[in-house]
Amino acid sequence: MNALAKLTAVETKLLLREPGSLVSVLIPLFILVVFGSSIDATDTTLLPMSLAIAVGLVGLYLLPTTMASYRERGILRRLSTTPIRPGSLLAVQLVLQTALVLIACGLLMGVASGVLGVRLPGGLLPTLGVFLLGTAAMFAIGLLIAALAPNGRAANGIGVLLYFPMAFLAGLIQPVDQMAATVARIGEYTPLGAFRSALHQAWSGQAPDVLPLVLLAVYTLAVSALAARLFRWE
């Protein structure tokens, strides 16, 4: 087994032991089961919302906390003296965190369709495209948090402070149609709001509006570039 494979195996074990991984899976699943049992099976809102919640938890909480903790503990600095460079650890983490997102969302879709009878999206490719774009935007913000936070605890706090206001504005806590028009409009321009909106449209079989897709692409590119510029390996 080469060094990169060993690193991947070790990081996989650590991720599975991380309580935040379980939280990122169970909270969206809890929301889906509790609210899904009381709504019509033809509803096209709850499952996309649950998927967005899962992606947001991993991207804004788990990813930045992990990377900032590694820098705080000097792991990234020590890796710079080995054949495995710090960038390799970052790449492995992104792959594993993406896999966690896919597992969480796969579980949500399985429970929704198999237990609650919720219909799955008709247009699979558009939905998948929106999902991947939204995930990229959330991960970009997570990496920016990791770049700015001095330690893992700070990254955790920043992620939580960002997540809940964004989740509220995106309509993941209170339905958009029950929000003030101005607040709902502001929410459409947030990363999580654009993600929820585009995912809901694709899930419903509609062509997603151009605006949320453009916003997600801009957030992904601009925030990723800023995170790369500010990120410190030690």
Side-chain angles (χ1 to χ4, degrees):
M1 182 183 294
N2 60 36
L4 186 58
K6 290 181 179 178
L7 176 65
T8 303
V10 170
E11 289 301 311
T12 300
K13 292 178 182 178
L14 291 175
L15 183 62
L16 292 176
R17 295 172 184 171
E18 168 61 46
S21 300
L22 191 60
V23 169
S24 300
V25 173
L26 292 183
I27 287 181
L29 184 61
F30 174 79
I31 292 172
L32 176 69
V33 171
V34 169
F35 291 98
S37 59
S38 61
I39 63 174
D40 192 280
T42 60
D43 177 79
T44 59
T45 302
L46 183 59
L47 184 51
M49 285 175 56
S50 300
L51 298 178
I53 290 171
V55 174
L57 286 173
V58 174
L60 299 180
Y61 164 67
L62 190 57
L63 175 60
T65 300
T66 301
M67 293 307 301
S69 296
Y70 281 2
R71 186 178 62 244
E72 176 190 7
R73 291 153 54 191
I75 294 175
L76 300 181
R77 174 173 48 79
R78 291 196 293 272
L79 279 178
S80 64
T81 63
T82 71
I84 299 182
R85 312 302 293 178
S88 299
L89 178 59
L90 175 59
V92 168
Q93 274 295 322
L94 288 175
V95 170
L96 292 179
Q97 302 277 359
T98 301
L100 178 62
V101 164
L102 294 176
I103 291 171
C105 292
L107 179 61
L108 287 169
M109 293 175 66
V111 171
S113 61
V115 178
L116 302 177
V118 176
R119 75 176 183 86
L120 297 180
L124 183 59
L125 287 180
T127 303
L128 180 61
V130 171
F131 177 81
L132 293 177
L133 184 57
T135 301
M138 293 300 107
F139 277 26
I141 297 171
L143 290 176
L144 180 59
I145 295 172
L148 296 174
N151 51 56
R153 186 167 54 184
N156 189 333
I158 295 170
V160 170
L161 287 175
L162 281 178
Y163 176 77
F164 283 103
M166 280 207 292
F168 173 76
L169 290 171
L172 301 181
I173 297 177
Q174 179 178 359
V176 174
D177 57 8
Q178 297 179 17
M179 297 166 60
T182 303
V183 175
R185 186 62 175 169
I186 293 173
E188 293 176 1
Y189 289 87
T190 65
L192 207 49
F195 182 28
R196 181 208 59 78
S197 174
L199 188 61
H200 172 66
Q201 290 174 332
W203 200 276
S204 303
Q206 310 171 38
D209 293 337
V210 173
L211 178 59
L213 298 180
V214 170
L215 286 172
L216 289 174
V218 169
Y219 278 122
T220 300
L221 296 174
V223 177
S224 294
L226 185 59
R229 182 180 181 85
L230 297 177
F231 198 88
R232 307 178 311 281
W233 295 110
E234 56 181 90

